[in-house]
Structure formats: C-alpha cells, structure tokens
Amino acid sequence: MPKQCFGTSHVPLSPAVRAGEFVYVSGQVPVGSDGAVVKGGIVEQTEQVLSNVKAALALAGCVMDDVVKTTVWLEDARDFGAFNAVYARHFPKDPPARTTVESRLMIDIKIEVEAVAYRPL
C-alpha cells in the first residue's frame, strides 16, 4: 500500500501521512483556524496544539485514543507542569509513549507536538 497524505499546509508538509497501519502527524503549533498564534500562555497554547493534533488525526480517520507516541517540544522547561496537566486531560486513559524536551522553536510559540497513531485498515 502506498503512503497516503492528508490535508494541506502553507509550508511543504502534510498534516498527516498514513504509512501502512501507522499515521504520522506533523508537528502541530498553537495556531487557530485564522492562522494566528493563540493568545495566552502554555495552557492556552497546549489546548490549541492538542486540538490541532486531533484535527490532523481526523483527516486520516484516527482519534486521540489511536495515538501511540508523541514528541513534545517546550520553549521553557518551567512550563512542564502546566503543560502536563492539560496533556493529561487529553489522554486520560492509557496515554501514549512520550518524549518531552526543551527547545528553541521556529516561531515565537511555547509548544509544538507531533504524534504517531496506530489504526489498522
């Protein structure tokens, strides 16, 4: 089965790509439907990012429960506690494996999240 790409972006990437039984979601940033970075701190930005992950998953027929791995980049490690509380609400049962690191990000944001989902055809 060839890879399937889902969604479009203003930059050269696909929001979601299916390769066999796995769906890879590109790093999602805290931008709303208007393309602007959401106002607020880590809590508001994490909510938006995870909403964007959910939307990208839906393009490929997946839901948050299908996520098996996430990678999280935080602009400031001191935001970890507040981020983690929001994240836990989005993955309340059997959360995915996760890597979380502190990193300078490409635009002036506090968080970016990518995800891998497993959803057999």
Side-chain angles (χ1 to χ4, degrees):
M1 167 184 206
K3 76 177 182 182
Q4 295 175 280
C5 296
F6 300 92
T8 60
S9 177
H10 68 283
V11 294
L13 60 81
S14 295
V17 176
R18 176 180 280 281
E21 297 183 335
F22 289 92
V23 172
Y24 299 87
V25 173
S26 291
Q28 298 297 302
V29 296
V31 296
S33 58
D34 62 357
V37 174
V38 297
K39 296 190 185 315
I42 190 64
V43 170
E44 295 81 7
Q45 289 198 7
T46 301
E47 287 288 357
Q48 184 64 56
V49 164
L50 293 175
S51 291
N52 293 350
V53 168
K54 184 177 181 180
L57 288 165
L59 294 171
C62 294
V63 297
M64 295 293 268
D65 284 346
D66 296 326
V67 176
V68 295
K69 172 72 167 83
T70 61
T71 304
V72 179
W73 293 269
L74 296 176
E75 185 266 334
D76 187 338
R78 292 172 292 190
D79 287 335
F80 181 77
F83 148 75
N84 204 48
V86 174
Y87 185 93
R89 289 195 303 270
H90 287 266
F91 295 104
K93 183 176 181 269
D94 300 325
R98 181 179 80 192
T99 302
T100 306
V101 297
E102 180 182 45
S103 178
R104 198 174 102 209
L105 299 169
M106 300 307 291
I107 59 176
D108 188 20
I109 56 176
K110 297 186 175 301
I111 183 171
E112 182 170 346
V113 177
E114 71 176 22
V116 179
Y118 175 74
R119 179 81 167 189
L121 296 170

